[in-house]
């Protein structure tokens, strides 16, 4: 069920005003990226202000922050959309280690300081389309996955990039209780082809709305692939493995006829139980004000990614 509360709000217009004040930005700036900024304030919910290259205003209207942090799918913390905000509150995300190995020349284990020091952060305002046919617009903060891959140097056998979420049933009640966790065989695993992973849209995200990620959004580090359905955007990643074979990913394993490996946003290929032609836009306001809009091919990113699938039948490879 959709639960959209109006409390704990940083309304979108305040966020925008704050961005514009901090950046000294008029609404119509033509610059793609502004100089590095740092938000001086410390937030109420322990999320830390980040220093990043801010993206100048674009045409997309941001979803209010309270919806982005309050309406989540993170089955490790329960299947209800409000459950992650409640049950991930005390999720320990620091210290954290991210291991990258498999078919690479340089296997590495990075902690949060390594990540901060090696990868300058930038903001990307992306459309986000869940397979359940709702959508948001989110100002992510992170760095391109290809920068991380350049560090580890995939070998010629590194054809797929596989991501693993933390497995810690003591902290994640959904991993302890089969029903609470939606029947998933944890840890949650996702994967991309090496070409998808190298695409400059593909982001390792560590924050949103100027601050570190809330635990329910996948702190401290998660994947953001804006042309794919939300379930590909795996959260709280501890391991990345390069390998030659296509991995068996979590949702494909659970329901192969419903969730494919590619999971590209495609209004022409319906989910077996519902249409994917349109989406409910989660914006400001309550349930009654939710609008529907047509879904765009590759979620509006066709220009940047359609070439990756030139030789694929997208009905078979859904
Ligand atoms: N990652 C893990 N580990 N566990 C999950 O249950 N849910 C996915 C994805 N990543 C999920 C996950 C789904 S279905 C969606 S729609 C997005 O996370 C939601 O991301 P958001 O809460 O930041 O909007």
């Amino acid at each position: 069920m959709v639960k959209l509360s109006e409390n704990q709000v940083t309304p979108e217009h305040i966020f925008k005003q704050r961005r514009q004040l901090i950046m000294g930005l008029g609404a119509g700036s033509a610059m793609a990226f502004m100089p590095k900024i740092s938000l001086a304030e410390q937030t109420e919910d322990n999320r830390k202000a980040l220093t990043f290259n801010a993206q100048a205003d674009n045409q997309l209207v941001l979803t209010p922050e309270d919806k982005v942090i309050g309406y989540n799918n993170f089955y490790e913390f329960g299947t209800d959309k409000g459950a992650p905000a409640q049950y991930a509150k005390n999720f320990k995300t620091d210290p954290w280690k991210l291991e990258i190995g498999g078919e690479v020349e340089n296997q590495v284990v990075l902690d949060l300081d390594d990540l901060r020091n090696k990868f300058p952060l930038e903001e990307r305002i992306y459309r986000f389309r869940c397979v359940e046919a709702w959508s948001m617009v989110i100002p992510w903060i992170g760095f391109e996955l290809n920068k991380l891959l350049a560090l580890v140097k995939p070998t010629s056998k590194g054809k797929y990039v596989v991501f693993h979420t933390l497995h810690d049933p003591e902290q994640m009640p959904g991993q302890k209780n089969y029903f609470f966790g939606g029947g998933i065989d944890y840890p949650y695993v996702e994967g991309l082809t090496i070409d998808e992973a190298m695409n400059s849209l593909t982001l390792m995200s560590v924050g949103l709305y100027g601050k570190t990620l809330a635990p329910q959004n996948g702190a401290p580090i998660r994947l953001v692939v804006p042309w794919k359905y939300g379930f590909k955007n795996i959260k709280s990643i501890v391991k990345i493995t390069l390998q030659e074979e296509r991995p068996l990913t979590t949702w494909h394993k659970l329901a192969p006829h419903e969730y494919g490996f590619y999971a590209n946003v495609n209004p022409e290929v319906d989910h077996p139980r519902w249409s994917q032609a349109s989406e409910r836009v989660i914006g400001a306001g309550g349930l009654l004000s939710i609008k529907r809009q047509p879904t765009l091919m590759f979620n509006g990113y066709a220009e940047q990614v359609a070439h990756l699938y030139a030789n694929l039948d997208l009905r078979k490879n859904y």
Side-chain angles (χ1 to χ4, degrees):
M1 250 327 278
V2 185
K3 269 196 204 139
L4 302 173
S5 74
E6 283 298 333
N7 50 13
Q8 19 153 224
V9 185
T10 302
E12 173 204 344
H13 65 281
I14 293 182
F15 175 72
K16 280 195 163 170
Q17 277 167 8
R18 198 172 61 187
R19 283 160 53 90
Q20 289 180 359
L21 273 176
I22 291 164
M23 299 190 293
L25 219 189
S29 169
M31 285 175 70
F33 289 99
M34 295 301 293
K36 206 156 262 196
I37 63 163
S38 180
L39 299 181
E41 71 206 72
Q42 178 72 35
T43 58
E44 295 149 23
D45 55 359
N46 288 331
R47 291 165 59 203
K48 302 216 168 44
L50 288 170
T51 301
F52 58 95
N53 282 320
Q55 186 179 331
D57 262 10
N58 65 13
Q59 302 307 310
L60 300 173
V61 177
L62 299 182
T63 299
E65 184 178 5
D66 67 314
K67 305 280 169 55
V68 175
I69 68 174
Y71 185 76
N72 303 99
N73 277 332
F74 197 169
Y75 278 23
E76 285 86 336
F77 295 102
T79 55
D80 187 272
K81 306 275 186 255
Q86 187 182 346
Y87 293 101
K89 220 176 256 165
N90 299 317
F91 179 45
K92 214 161 179 271
T93 57
D94 189 4
W96 193 267
K97 289 216 185 303
L98 173 63
E99 178 189 333
I100 304 133
E103 291 295 344
V104 296
E105 283 176 29
N106 308 321
Q107 191 160 322
V108 292
V109 179
L110 304 173
D111 63 19
L112 293 180
D113 277 341
D114 297 325
L115 289 167
R116 277 181 210 117
N117 295 335
K118 286 182 196 305
F119 305 107
L121 299 179
E122 62 182 75
E123 180 181 56
R124 294 282 179 87
I125 297 172
Y126 282 156
R127 296 182 198 87
F128 186 87
R129 170 62 157 78
C130 185
V131 75
E132 296 163 292
W134 49 264
S135 69
M136 297 184 177
V137 173
I138 302 176
W140 301 104
I141 296 165
F143 55 89
E144 291 177 11
L145 173 59
N146 61 49
K147 304 231 161 82
L148 191 58
L149 295 174
L151 181 76
V152 296
K153 298 197 171 72
T155 68
S156 59
K157 288 187 176 166
K159 298 203 169 106
Y160 291 90
V161 185
V162 190
F163 306 83
H164 308 252
T165 293
L166 177 71
H167 189 242
D168 185 354
E170 290 313 309
Q171 287 206 79
M172 296 172 146
Q175 292 182 340
K176 211 168 191 174
N177 182 306
Y178 180 85
F179 295 103
F180 193 70
I184 285 177
D185 182 14
Y186 292 104
Y188 196 104
V189 173
E190 258 311 333
L192 298 173
T193 66
I194 186 73
D195 291 339
E196 292 174 333
M198 292 298 290
N199 189 278
S200 61
L201 289 179
T202 306
L203 215 62
M204 295 301 290
S205 171
V206 297
L208 37 76
Y209 289 89
K211 293 162 272 175
T212 48
L213 290 170
Q216 59 270 31
N217 290 103
I221 186 158
R222 56 94 52 90
L223 182 70
V224 177
V225 200
W227 71 94
K228 291 183 181 277
Y229 290 120
F231 69 88
K232 296 295 285 184
N233 295 249
I234 180 172
K235 297 176 168 181
S236 304
I237 300 167
V238 288
K239 193 164 79 171
I240 302 178
T241 314
L242 281 94
Q243 61 187 51
E244 193 159 22
E245 327 74 55
R246 192 161 106 179
L248 185 54
T249 48
T250 289
W251 282 96
H252 189 56
K253 185 171 169 189
L254 196 68
H257 52 293
E258 299 196 358
Y259 307 106
F261 171 79
Y262 285 96
N264 292 318
V265 175
N266 188 342
E268 288 159 21
V269 178
D270 287 339
H271 184 280
R273 289 184 281 135
W274 59 81
S275 163
Q276 292 294 23
S278 66
E279 62 204 40
R280 289 180 294 119
V281 183
I282 300 193
L287 266 180
L288 293 177
S289 63
I290 285 183
K291 282 183 301 190
R292 248 186 199 282
Q293 71 186 18
T295 287
L296 300 170
M297 189 66 200
F298 297 113
N299 205 22
Y301 299 99
E303 206 177 301
Q304 293 96 320
V305 300
H307 67 276
L308 297 173
Y309 311 102
N311 299 318
L312 273 191
D313 177 344
L314 295 178
R315 288 192 172 272
K316 281 194 190 132
N317 298 281
Y318 52 92

